Amino acid sequence: MSDGKSKVNDTDWGFAGFDFAKLIESCQISGVDMTSLIDVEKKNIDALNEVNRSAYDSWQNLMARQTEVFQEMMKAIAAEASNETVAGRRTEIARQGFEKALANMRQLAETATEQQKQTIEILRRRFEDGMAAMRTRDGSV
């Protein structure tokens, strides 16, 4: 049963089959190389696609690791809870659990930081490539 609300995937933006390259070529401006502009923008879009792919893979890996950590903790808790000699060691068990949770959080934070560095590196390379291309076109160095 439909709730009558429009969904993003159901929206027709009218761009199917539209060729932006032809549109830009039809807008010739004296002294402007439209082909090189299209190439630059294509490289920018490719870089953004790479960043998005990298970010998606990074977060997917991070979520998988968090799931593993959670499952390991739940197994450890279940194992300790079934142990009858636990009553006298609850403080020690809690301390160990806390230390392990901190170590896991630290590892996840380091993983996220490393993945962000990779994403920034992709953007930095694209920026430098774009600046070099602009210098080459302008004839300046």
Side-chain angles (χ1 to χ4, degrees):
M1 186 166 137
S2 177
D3 61 4
K5 294 180 182 175
S6 176
K7 296 179 183 163
V8 175
N9 292 341
D10 295 339
T11 305
D12 180 10
W13 295 97
F15 293 125
F18 188 75
D19 190 350
F20 285 100
K22 286 182 183 177
L23 174 67
I24 291 176
E25 288 173 4
S26 70
C27 300
Q28 291 298 322
I29 301 172
S30 178
V32 176
D33 182 5
M34 295 306 256
T35 304
S36 72
L37 283 176
I38 292 170
D39 289 343
V40 167
E41 289 308 313
K42 183 183 179 314
K43 289 177 184 177
N44 289 339
I45 291 169
D46 289 345
L48 287 175
N49 282 336
E50 185 178 352
V51 165
N52 285 336
R53 203 174 311 111
S54 173
Y56 175 78
D57 291 344
S58 297
W59 283 110
Q60 191 175 33
N61 291 338
L62 189 62
M63 290 297 133
R65 181 61 186 132
Q66 284 179 330
T67 301
E68 289 173 17
V69 167
F70 180 74
Q71 289 173 343
E72 288 172 8
M73 287 178 49
M74 297 315 308
K75 285 178 185 175
I77 289 170
E80 289 293 332
S82 66
N83 189 347
E84 294 178 8
T85 62
V86 168
R89 297 184 338 119
R90 287 192 181 158
T91 303
E92 177 63 19
I93 292 169
R95 184 189 65 74
Q96 289 173 352
F98 181 73
E99 288 175 355
K100 186 171 183 172
L102 282 178
N104 287 331
M105 288 172 34
R106 186 177 304 113
Q107 179 191 23
L108 292 172
E110 289 170 358
T111 300
T113 301
E114 183 59 34
Q115 292 164 347
Q116 288 172 350
K117 285 179 185 178
Q118 291 172 1
T119 299
I120 290 170
E121 177 61 20
I122 292 167
L123 292 172
R124 184 194 63 74
R125 281 193 322 255
R126 179 60 207 127
F127 177 77
E128 288 177 357
D129 290 347
M131 292 302 292
M134 285 176 47
R135 279 189 232 111
T136 301
R137 269 194 305 273
D138 291 341
S140 59
V141 176

